[in-house]
């Protein structure tokens, strides 16, 4: 077990180091001189050169990389060229929008998908299952930003129940803030719920064919108890994998959705930073997302190994 | 998961008969053919010329003259959807080609060699998977500039590890089989065996994954075009049409409704087609997604 954990951890760290190199290298070849961008077109070559030196842009590549990684480790991400504030402050501020958004979406998707999966699996092949899986098939095909537009049209333009976009900030009270996150969360969650429901259904069907389910039924346990207590628990492994992957996907999915709803979150920040060549911000956020993906996958993998010892040897 | 993919003893006729009984396959196939036909027809005929701006006809509601209405430049939405289909199909198709072309040889090679090569290639895969695909696609198009070609590259790169993983998993299940042992005893090299025996046996898996990635490619292209990084105007694309529609939801909701439905129907058709193919050619395979 310890050996497995160590190996898994080593792989995660190696992936992280490689990923940081890739991010750094990609942004090195990104055209556009940040010093020139900051000073504007009227600045002289000397001024630009001076600022490049101040910003450490003229140091050797390896040194700059090490400096950057060292900064990341101590949560010092550097200063944004365009906002002239520490990147960590920007990230913290925007996280307050993106993280709740992704979490609400994840919760919504789970709340919708698991009961649908249970329902479908227990009525396998019957009309209810066909309808539910037809809906899931449709849900998988829906692009979340289009779904978002339709939601805006229905709930904000027609029914005027929620704002069409923007974010009042948590300072304006929890309810108004939550209200403006509701539509984006639904838009993010529903296509994900469709995928999750399909996975949950097939995992449950597989488990329901196992001998111990027949034994549980044979000893007189009611079907409902078997379904919830025995089947669902054992079907959780594939479901958890997808959930882990989806969290990363949801964080990234916020990039487009935040642009649809004009939400001041991480996604909108990174998108603006790319168009404004604000490299430090882009680097930091990409790395942050990569760390999140790797960490979530590590946690999911390790928790399987704890739950199910048979999985330890497998790839 | 172990996969047993037997070389079909079935004839082409019996597969065809099965295909005609498979509902997913039939619906998916019909939709796919329809979308492709629509794209092809757009080269020779569209109801209206999509390059001509008729400002006097701007944001007309759907009518018998314009079935899906017109956009803010007076262009016919149906005609634009037809022309936009070309772009979606081309981008997704080439992206799948890139993914298969690079990923499948990598995956089969990793499975054939095993050991360090396998481990290294799979860790590289993990590396690509660690980057949220959409974010990376946005970065790639931001670096090399927006446009259909860069969108293809960005989406294609993320197809590589998917196909590498599927090919490797499929190939690993084939290698322990008796007929591979026979081929090795006959003195064939690992490369020969991979090409002559392993590839034909994982073709079904690859075909099914190909349709899934094709569908995902269409979604990704729409997303990139929507944020302005895909096909550039005046080339109509479904994602771009949705972007234009966004600020006009109140006056012209049809500008958003129809291009979105085109995406949904196309992706749905491809997914059904993939399900159908999987069922027909290999009833035992359970799709993982």
């Amino acid at each position: 077990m310890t050996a497995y954990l160590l190996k898994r951890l080593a792989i995660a760290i190696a992936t992280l180091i490689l990923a940081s190199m890739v991010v750094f290298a990609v942004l090195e070849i990104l055209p556009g001189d940040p010093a020139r961008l900051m000073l504007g077109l009227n600045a002289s070559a000397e001024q630009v050169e001076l600022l490049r030196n101040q910003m450490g842009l003229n140091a050797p590549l390896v040194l700059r990389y090490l400096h950057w990684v060292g900064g990341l480790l101590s949560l010092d991400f550097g200063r944004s060229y365009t906002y002239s504030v520490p990147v960590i402050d920007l990230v913290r501020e925007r996280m307050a929008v993106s993280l709740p958004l992704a979490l609400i979406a994840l919760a919504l998707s789970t709340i919708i998908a698991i009961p649908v999966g249970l329902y479908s699996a227990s009525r396998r092949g019957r009309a209810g299952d066909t309808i539910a899986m037809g809906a899931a098939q449709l849900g998988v095909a829906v692009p979340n930003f289009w779904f978002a537009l339709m939601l805006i049209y229905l709930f904000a333009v027609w029914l005027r129940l929620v704002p069409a976009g923007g974010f009042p900030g948590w300072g304006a009270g929890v309810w108004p803030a939550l209200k403006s996150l509701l539509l984006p969360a639904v838009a993010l969650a529903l296509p994900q719920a469709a995928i999750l429901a399909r996975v949950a259904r097939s995992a449950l069907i597989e488990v329901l064919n196992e001998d111990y389910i027949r034994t549980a039924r044979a000893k007189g346990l009611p079907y409902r108890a078997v379904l919830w207590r025995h089947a669902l628990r054992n079907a959780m492994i594939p479901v958890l994998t997808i959930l882990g992957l989806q969290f990363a996907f949801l964080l990234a999915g916020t990039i487009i959705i935040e642009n649809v709803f004009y939400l001041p979150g991480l996604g909108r920040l990174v998108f603006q930073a790319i168009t404004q060549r604000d490299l430090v911000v882009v680097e930091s956020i990409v790395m942050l997302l990569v760390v999140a993906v790797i960490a979530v996958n590590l946690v999911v993998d390790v928790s399987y190994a704890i739950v199910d010892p048979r999985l330890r040897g497998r790839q | 998961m172990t996969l047993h993919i037997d070389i079909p003893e079935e004839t082409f006729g019996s597969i065809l008969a099965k295909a005609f009984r498979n509902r997913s396959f039939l619906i998916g196939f019909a939709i796919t053919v329809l979308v492709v036909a629509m794209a092809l027809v757009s080269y020779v005929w569209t109801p209206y010329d999509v390059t001509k701006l008729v400002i006097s006809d701007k944001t007309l509601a759907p009518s018998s003259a314009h079935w899906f209405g017109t956009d803010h430049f007076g262009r016919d939405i149906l005609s634009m959807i037809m022309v936009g289909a070309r772009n979606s199909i081309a981008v997704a198709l080439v992206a799948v080609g890139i993914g298969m072309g690079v990923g499948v040889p990598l995956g089969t090679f990793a499975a054939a060699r095993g050991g360090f090569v396998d481990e290294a290639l799979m860790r590289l895969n993990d590396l690509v998977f660690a980057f949220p695909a959409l974010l990376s696609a946005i970065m790639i198009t931001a670096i090399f500039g927006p446009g259909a070609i860069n969108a293809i590259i960005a989406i294609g790169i993320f197809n590589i590890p998917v196909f590498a993983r599927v090919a490797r998993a499929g190939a690993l299940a084939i290698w322990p089989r008796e007929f591979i042992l026979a081929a090795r005893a006959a003195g064939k090299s690992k490369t020969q065996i991979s090409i002559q025996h392993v590839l034909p046996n994982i073709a079904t898996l690859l075909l099914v994954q190909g349709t899934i990635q094709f569908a995902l490619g269409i979604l990704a292209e729409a997303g990139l075009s929507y944020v302005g990084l895909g096909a550039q105007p005046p080339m109509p694309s479904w994602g771009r049409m949705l972007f234009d529609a966004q600020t006009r939801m109140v006056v012209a909701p049809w500008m958003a409704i129809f291009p979105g439905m085109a995406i949904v129907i196309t992706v749905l058709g491809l997914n059904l087609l993939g399900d159908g193919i999987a069922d027909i050619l290999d009833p035992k395979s359970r799709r993982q997604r």
Side-chain angles (χ1 to χ4, degrees):
Chain A
M1 185 70 194
T2 319
Y4 172 82
L5 282 182
L6 284 178
K7 188 187 170 215
R8 200 56 201 78
L9 195 66
I11 290 174
I13 291 172
T15 313
L16 258 182
I17 293 173
L18 272 175
S20 71
M21 288 176 177
V22 171
V23 170
F24 189 77
V26 163
L27 289 158
E28 274 303 308
I29 55 171
L30 199 67
D33 182 350
R36 170 63 72 185
L37 269 169
M38 276 175 85
L39 292 171
L41 288 171
N42 295 325
S44 67
E46 292 84 53
Q47 281 174 310
V48 172
E49 202 47 37
L50 194 71
L51 186 66
R52 283 186 63 87
N53 274 327
Q54 274 176 13
M55 291 167 77
L57 290 173
N58 288 335
L61 197 68
V62 180
L63 272 184
R64 266 183 296 146
Y65 172 74
L66 289 177
H67 182 77
W68 175 62
V69 170
L72 286 182
L73 289 177
S74 56
L75 287 183
D76 171 17
F77 297 169
R79 286 177 83 84
S80 156
Y81 306 147
T82 46
Y83 294 89
S84 297
V85 290
V87 175
I88 183 77
D89 291 349
L90 276 178
V91 167
R92 206 175 279 148
E93 191 187 304
R94 302 301 183 102
M95 270 294 218
V97 179
S98 295
L99 200 61
L101 178 58
L103 286 175
I104 296 172
L106 194 68
L108 272 178
S109 133
T110 317
I111 291 170
I112 299 166
I114 302 292
V116 171
L118 269 172
Y119 173 85
S120 259
S122 57
R123 280 176 185 67
R124 188 181 179 187
R126 287 197 244 164
D129 175 31
T130 311
I131 292 168
M133 284 305 111
Q137 185 72 267
L138 193 67
V140 174
V142 173
N144 56 20
F145 55 93
W146 179 67
F147 188 53
L149 287 178
M150 296 295 109
L151 287 176
I152 291 177
Y153 186 62
L154 187 62
F155 290 103
V157 177
W158 251 26
L159 301 173
R160 299 181 182 281
L161 288 177
V162 283
F167 186 69
W170 292 103
V174 173
W175 176 235
L178 274 182
K179 218 164 115 180
S180 59
L181 289 182
L182 199 62
L183 278 196
V186 172
L188 272 172
L190 229 60
Q192 296 302 302
I195 298 173
L196 198 60
R198 289 169 57 131
V199 173
R201 173 183 179 269
S202 57
L204 276 163
I205 286 176
E206 202 156 310
V207 172
L208 286 174
N209 287 333
E210 298 277 352
D211 290 339
Y212 57 80
I213 295 293
R214 200 177 319 128
T215 311
R217 291 281 288 141
K219 76 178 181 188
L221 267 183
Y223 188 66
R224 200 166 277 270
V226 175
L227 203 59
W228 284 91
R229 216 175 300 156
H230 296 265
L232 187 60
R233 190 176 289 182
N234 281 293
M236 277 324 273
I237 282 185
V239 172
L240 271 178
T241 315
I242 299 293
L243 267 180
L245 288 173
Q246 285 196 337
F247 184 66
F249 184 87
L250 285 171
L251 267 181
T254 56
I255 299 174
I256 286 189
I257 288 297
E258 282 173 3
N259 277 297
V260 178
F261 288 94
Y262 301 103
L263 291 175
L266 270 187
R268 212 168 148 68
L269 177 67
V270 76
F271 196 72
Q272 285 166 341
I274 287 175
T275 48
Q276 292 165 338
R277 297 277 179 266
D278 198 342
L279 300 193
V280 188
V281 174
V282 182
E283 281 173 338
S284 313
I285 296 176
V286 172
M287 271 321 288
L288 217 65
L289 288 179
V290 169
V291 170
V293 174
I294 293 177
V296 168
N297 286 343
L298 181 68
V299 169
V300 170
D301 271 7
V302 169
S303 43
Y304 292 166
I306 294 168
V307 175
D308 188 345
R310 284 171 305 179
L311 289 172
R312 276 171 218 164
R314 276 214 326 231
Q315 286 269 317
Chain B
M1 185 178 74
T2 53
L3 280 170
H4 293 286
I5 305 159
D6 292 304
I7 302 171
E9 290 153 26
E10 320 162 76
T11 59
F12 181 71
S14 74
I15 292 179
L16 208 65
K18 259 201 240 167
F20 271 103
R21 279 197 306 271
N22 189 298
R23 211 167 13 150
S24 295
F25 177 83
L26 283 179
I27 299 174
F29 186 73
I31 293 175
T32 309
V33 167
L34 197 77
V35 173
V36 172
M38 197 169 78
L40 291 176
V41 167
S42 80
Y43 279 101
V44 288
W45 176 81
T46 51
Y48 292 85
D49 185 353
V50 291
T51 54
K52 232 200 263 155
L53 312 181
V54 189
I55 300 300
S56 58
D57 284 352
K58 73 170 187 182
T59 57
L60 292 179
S63 65
S64 56
H66 297 279
W67 287 8
F68 293 172
T70 62
D71 75 352
H72 54 302
F73 290 129
R75 290 176 294 183
D76 179 53
I77 303 269
L78 174 60
S79 306
M80 289 183 72
I81 289 177
M82 287 174 70
V83 179
R86 289 182 212 167
N87 182 62
S88 290
I89 293 171
V91 170
L93 201 63
V94 181
V96 168
I98 294 174
M100 274 199 185
V102 183
V104 173
L106 280 180
T108 38
F109 180 67
R113 294 298 294 269
F116 175 74
V117 177
D118 185 26
E119 185 78 9
L121 279 172
M122 286 305 112
R123 293 290 81 81
L124 264 179
N125 252 356
D126 287 351
L127 178 65
V128 182
F129 273 126
F131 287 87
L134 184 70
L135 178 63
S136 313
I138 288 175
M139 274 177 65
I140 289 173
T141 43
I143 295 167
F144 299 108
I149 304 286
N150 291 334
I152 290 175
I153 297 170
I155 300 168
I157 287 177
F158 287 91
N159 277 337
I160 295 172
V162 175
F163 282 106
R165 194 169 274 200
V166 171
R168 174 180 175 271
L172 281 179
I174 303 293
W175 273 99
R177 306 279 296 276
E178 292 87 354
F179 62 90
I180 299 285
L181 196 66
R184 295 182 78 167
K188 286 189 180 172
S189 73
K190 283 188 170 176
T191 316
Q192 279 175 320
I193 293 176
S194 289
I195 294 170
Q196 294 169 1
H197 300 288
V198 175
L199 269 185
N201 277 293
I202 60 172
T204 311
L205 280 178
L206 296 176
L207 185 65
V208 171
Q209 195 63 43
T211 56
I212 296 171
Q213 295 311 118
F214 194 106
L216 290 176
I218 284 180
L219 282 176
E221 193 281 330
L224 283 179
S225 296
Y226 174 75
V227 292
L229 297 172
Q232 295 300 298
M235 176 73 190
S237 78
W238 294 346
R240 186 77 202 177
M241 290 170 79
L242 289 179
F243 171 78
D244 289 334
Q246 187 177 351
T247 48
R248 301 176 177 87
M249 284 301 285
V250 182
V251 287
W254 52 88
M255 278 177 67
I257 293 171
F258 294 109
M261 277 172 48
I263 300 172
V264 173
I265 291 171
T266 307
V267 173
L268 183 67
L270 286 167
N271 284 339
L272 288 174
L273 185 66
D275 278 355
I277 296 174
D279 280 351
I280 294 164
L281 293 181
D282 183 14
K284 275 171 280 185
S285 85
R286 232 177 251 115
R287 292 169 57 206
Q288 307 250 311
R289 50 183 299 168

